[in-house]
Amino acid sequence: MTSPLRTRSFSRPRHNRRIAGVCAGLAQRFGMRPGLVRILFVVSCLLPGPQILIYLALWALMPSE
């Protein structure tokens, strides 16, 4: 039996993008709503840490659909 996470792709979708599609791609991969992932990302940016750098790295590394 395969895990449902293994069947979902890890890519930035062409539709439902706001800036680069990173949050939409992560939401699609983990079966979440894109709006929720975007809200979580914005809230996490209020905390100290490398969130923006991680976003930029994912933008560069995640393939587009």
Side-chain angles (χ1 to χ4, degrees), residues 4-64:
L5 290 179
R6 294 181 192 261
T7 60
R8 295 186 180 131
S9 66
F10 186 63
S11 63
R12 295 179 294 126
R14 291 182 190 262
H15 305 289
N16 202 12
R17 286 186 178 187
R18 291 295 181 252
I19 297 174
V22 173
C23 291
L26 290 173
Q28 181 180 12
R29 171 69 170 98
F30 295 108
M32 299 172 69
R33 299 171 98 181
L36 177 63
V37 176
R38 291 180 187 117
I39 290 171
L40 291 173
F41 174 72
V42 169
V43 169
S44 76
C45 285
L46 300 175
L47 303 171
Q51 293 87 339
I52 298 295
L53 295 175
I54 293 170
Y55 186 90
L56 292 174
L58 286 172
W59 186 2
L61 296 174
M62 285 176 72
S64 187

